[in-house]
Amino acid sequence: MALIINSIIAILLIYYGWKYAFQSGLVVNHPFAPVVKCVCGKDLSFLLFSVMTSMVFLGPLSLVKYAIWICIMVFMSLRWVKKWDSVLTMYLVFIVWNLYTLTYSNYVFQGWMMILKFSIPILYFWMGYNAIEDSLDLGIFLKRTVIICVIYSFLIGGVSAKLISPLYGFLCFGTGGTFVAYASLADFYSILIGIPVMLYVITSDRKYLYAAGLLFLSSILESVRTGIGASILGLSMLFLVYKKGKAIPIVMLLLALSVGSVLLVQPVREKMFGKQAETVTISNMGQAKIETNGREYMWERIMNHCYKPDPTFGSGCGGALGWLKDINSKGGLQLIHSDWVQMMSESGNIGLCLYILFAAFLLFKILTITWKYKGDIILTLLGGVTAGSFAACYFCMGFDNVITYAQQGYVLPFMLFGIFLKVVDLTRQGVFKVEEEIHS
């Protein structure tokens, strides 16, 4: 039965994905005049549908869904403006290095799968850039994304898990895993949590502040430590980009919220510190040993086998993950639970440095643009949301399989970067007036 359910869902996903990409757009409420209906362009419709179905992609038949989704985007790219940026050049250098490491990898097929996963974000960058044509498109994207996140919270998020557990159990387990929640959803939320905060700053409408709180609450209710930390880091980066030095009090408040979540919420506290949870206080918190659920031992084995023999070059793309699957082929963990450990082990110090250079150059680019347009609240906030999404994603990569498994989380920051650069281009042309329309 589960296979039948997921096959039907996969067929529906592909049908509507193709429809929105090439035939007709989504009909939505006008973001600035709710009683008015409007039709989204095909690129924006497909982008919204991709965000809407993110947690469905990670379940059964995911390889089939991804393969067809990539094909759809490749066909869509024939009509896209192929915007390029120096930041993408830095990222491409990282991909090229990983291509070279295939020459000495013992797991070439696994390596090619990683190359594909590294490359997909470029398509999402182009999709984000081409989806936004004016302030109306940006307003639709921002508001619909918040709605999608809130709906997920009541379907498969922490609210559902604690208050509507039969629905949560059915969607996540009873259907054979149609929806994938918990850590993957927490990653998704932490990457997008800046969007409702941005809308609150612009509109002063408290419903967006409540929406952001709901996303954060989802991670707390399910005791997802990665989601809590990533959300705090992402929001801190947002305000640092938006307010610069004036954001320090806000950042301190967010850090206090993070510490409070760990110390005052019993399930989170126990998840963080295990057996010593009852003895941990704010004074000795720094010395307490964090519970890693065996990941530390696994990371040490992987590093000893794949990284330490040749730290400069690593074991080659796919080497660490392929080796882990081999030794656990009869049962056991087959995911590394840290993209950074995997990157170091497979790409070596060279690959790791190239990726860090890309991340640093990305932040420098966003800071440069937002400083230039510091009087433009929309542009600076969008830059903060983009930088925050990358910061949250990088935090999640430390403890989850964002690139290897929860790919829908990894592509979102690149999509936001594409949207950000498009808004920059539209602003330069003097045709972007979203703030005026929001307050009209």
Side-chain angles (χ1 to χ4, degrees), residues 362-428:
L362 169 78
L363 178 60
F364 176 76
K365 177 88 175 187
I366 293 174
L367 288 173
T368 301
I369 293 174
T370 53
W371 182 262
K372 181 179 178 181
Y373 293 94
K374 57 185 177 181
D376 189 323
I377 185 174
I378 301 297
L379 197 56
T380 50
L381 275 170
L382 190 58
V385 168
T386 304
S389 71
F390 274 100
C393 182
Y394 293 153
F395 185 94
C396 293
M397 284 167 56
F399 310 97
D400 287 333
N401 308 284
V402 185
I403 302 176
T404 310
Y405 178 67
Q407 176 73 195
Q408 288 300 96
Y410 184 61
V411 299
L412 291 174
F414 288 84
M415 180 187 76
L416 289 171
F417 186 54
I419 293 173
F420 172 66
L421 291 188
K422 184 58 173 285
V423 173
V424 171
D425 289 347
L426 292 174
T427 301
R428 287 171 179 165

Side-chain angles (χ1 to χ4, degrees), residues 132-354:
I132 306 301
E133 295 296 337
D134 50 32
S135 54
L136 174 61
D137 288 340
L138 181 63
I140 291 173
F141 166 73
L142 294 175
K143 292 193 174 185
R144 302 305 290 191
T145 298
V146 173
I147 292 172
I148 291 166
C149 289
V150 169
I151 291 174
Y152 266 138
S153 182
F154 287 100
L155 287 179
I156 58 171
V159 174
S160 178
K162 300 302 180 183
L163 302 180
I164 325 173
S165 52
L167 176 64
Y168 180 89
F170 174 73
L171 293 176
C172 296
F173 307 107
T175 58
T178 297
F179 289 90
V180 176
Y182 191 63
S184 297
L185 182 64
D187 297 346
F188 176 81
Y189 276 165
S190 65
I191 290 167
L192 294 178
I193 196 170
I195 292 179
V197 173
M198 174 182 176
L199 286 172
Y200 171 71
V201 173
I202 296 170
T203 66
S204 298
D205 191 334
R206 289 186 179 180
K207 68 183 179 184
Y208 296 115
L209 190 60
Y210 297 149
L214 187 64
L215 306 193
F216 188 69
L217 180 63
S218 180
S219 293
I220 292 179
L221 289 175
E222 292 201 271
S223 305
V224 188
R225 297 170 293 174
T226 304
I228 295 171
S231 296
I232 295 298
L233 180 60
L235 289 175
S236 298
M237 182 62 72
L238 187 165
F239 284 107
L240 285 171
V241 172
Y242 173 50
K243 288 290 189 179
K244 310 299 188 290
K246 296 179 181 178
I248 299 300
I250 300 176
V251 173
M252 297 302 293
L253 182 62
L254 288 169
L255 289 175
L257 177 61
S258 178
V259 173
S261 300
V262 172
L263 291 180
L264 301 179
V265 181
Q266 190 66 21
V268 178
R269 183 187 180 121
E270 292 175 353
K271 187 79 174 289
M272 179 70 78
F273 301 111
K275 296 179 180 179
Q276 56 180 333
E278 296 301 324
T279 63
V280 175
T281 64
I282 194 168
S283 60
N284 64 11
M285 187 176 176
Q287 288 76 42
K289 181 176 175 57
I290 295 175
E291 176 62 52
T292 63
N293 298 323
R295 295 178 185 180
E296 190 175 4
Y297 169 73
M298 181 177 62
W299 292 341
E300 184 178 359
R301 288 191 66 192
I302 292 169
M303 295 284 282
N304 286 337
H305 187 272
C306 301
Y307 173 73
K308 290 185 178 179
D310 192 347
T312 303
F313 290 87
S315 61
C317 195
L321 185 58
W323 177 74
L324 181 66
K325 288 184 176 182
D326 270 359
I327 63 173
N328 290 333
S329 59
K330 295 182 180 180
L333 292 172
Q334 296 196 1
L335 290 173
I336 296 175
H337 287 285
S338 175
D339 289 318
W340 291 111
V341 169
Q342 182 172 347
M343 194 180 298
M344 284 182 64
S345 300
E346 296 182 352
S347 303
N349 291 338
I350 294 177
L352 182 66
C353 288
L354 288 174

